[in-house]
Amino acid sequence: MANKVLAIYGVGKSGLGQALGEVFGKQGYTVALLERDQDHLKQVQSALEAEGITASAVPVDLSNFDSVTQSVEAIAKLGDLDTVIFNATMRRKGRPSTFTGADIMQDLTVNVGSTVQIANQTVPLLKETKGAILFTNSVVASKPGTTDTSQSMGKAAVHNFALSLNKDLQKDGVFAGLVNIWTYIREGNDGKQNPTTIAQAFYDQATQRTEPELIYGKR
């Protein structure tokens, strides 16, 4: 049997992407790290390898669907794809009354379009392993403000996509779900805001599969 692979799309700098790699990696997963910032990818890869975790950096441009397809081809060479986590988000500063349609469509390409493309390309592999695909969601999906409009629109769309995908894939033994984070993510915090604690919630969601939506950190 080949090794199990976790693919993290959108490693990011909040600490959650690296924590996901650590939590899954310590359970024996090979970790594929995916984002556009190659220097940051190498830093996180080195940090994981220092902990004895097998990790690979796979550059991807989520605004380019061909790049997404190529990234899945690279992941497939690492082993058996068991879990995919979409953790990317594109944030645009400004108030909703100032945005143009072109502004929003550019953001939705990453925040929503790439989500659908990743699912389309990885689900065939996940069907082979009876794996899981998870999406990082946020309180802004249901409680938008005036400074996170673009992000909140994307998160609301991904929320609905994840739940419909869950229903679609049940017959195939593939789990689709989301972790809806209702708190800040802060490294060094020992409470619910700690990235490792949040990452553990993702691991539990992927392996226990009790409900498609986990609301994390809501008071």
Side-chain angles (χ1 to χ4, degrees):
M1 178 181 292
N3 52 298
K4 294 190 295 185
V5 176
L6 163 71
I8 306 169
Y9 278 91
V11 176
K13 298 180 180 178
S14 69
L16 178 57
Q18 181 170 329
L20 287 166
E22 292 170 350
V23 168
F24 280 80
K26 289 176 181 178
Q27 296 297 324
Y29 285 74
T30 291
V31 179
L33 305 164
L34 300 104
E35 68 178 24
R36 189 167 52 181
D37 188 339
Q38 296 188 45
D39 290 337
H40 183 244
L41 283 180
K42 292 177 181 177
Q43 292 175 9
V44 177
Q45 179 185 12
S46 296
L48 294 179
E49 290 177 341
E51 296 190 47
I53 296 168
T54 301
S56 294
V58 182
V60 63
D61 180 359
L62 294 179
S63 68
N64 184 321
F65 296 160
D66 288 339
S67 179
V68 171
T69 299
Q70 292 166 7
S71 73
V72 176
E73 293 171 354
I75 293 168
K77 297 176 182 178
L78 300 176
D80 291 335
L81 183 60
D82 180 85
T83 305
V84 176
I85 297 177
F86 182 83
N87 186 53
T89 189
M90 187 171 181
R91 297 179 177 88
R92 182 179 295 273
K93 295 181 180 180
R95 302 178 72 82
S97 58
T98 68
F99 295 149
T100 65
D103 291 336
I104 293 299
M105 291 307 297
Q106 181 182 14
D107 296 352
L108 290 179
T109 297
V110 173
N111 292 341
V112 181
S114 70
T115 307
V116 177
Q117 182 71 5
I118 289 166
N120 175 266
Q121 294 296 302
T122 60
V123 162
L125 298 175
L126 294 172
K127 286 181 178 180
E128 296 178 6
T129 61
K130 307 299 182 185
I133 179 168
L134 302 181
F135 306 90
T136 301
N137 214 262
S138 168
V139 61
V140 301
S142 57
K143 294 183 177 294
T146 58
T147 59
D148 52 26
T149 303
S150 175
Q151 182 191 17
S152 66
M153 291 172 67
K155 292 297 186 185
V158 170
H159 176 273
N160 290 341
F161 176 69
L163 295 183
S164 62
L165 188 64
N166 175 272
K167 295 176 182 179
D168 182 30
L169 296 178
Q170 284 180 357
K171 64 184 183 300
D172 300 305
V174 176
F175 179 79
L178 63 153
V179 177
N180 196 336
I181 301 174
W182 280 54
T183 186
Y184 292 104
I185 303 172
R186 290 175 174 160
E187 290 186 283
N189 189 301
D190 292 332
K192 291 183 178 181
Q193 297 177 354
N194 184 279
T196 301
T197 306
I198 300 173
Q200 184 63 50
F202 277 82
Y203 181 80
D204 293 344
Q205 176 80 331
T207 56
Q208 297 175 9
R209 306 183 178 192
T210 53
E211 295 291 339
E213 180 176 10
L214 170 64
I215 297 178
Y216 178 91
K218 185 176 180 180
R219 294 180 179 178

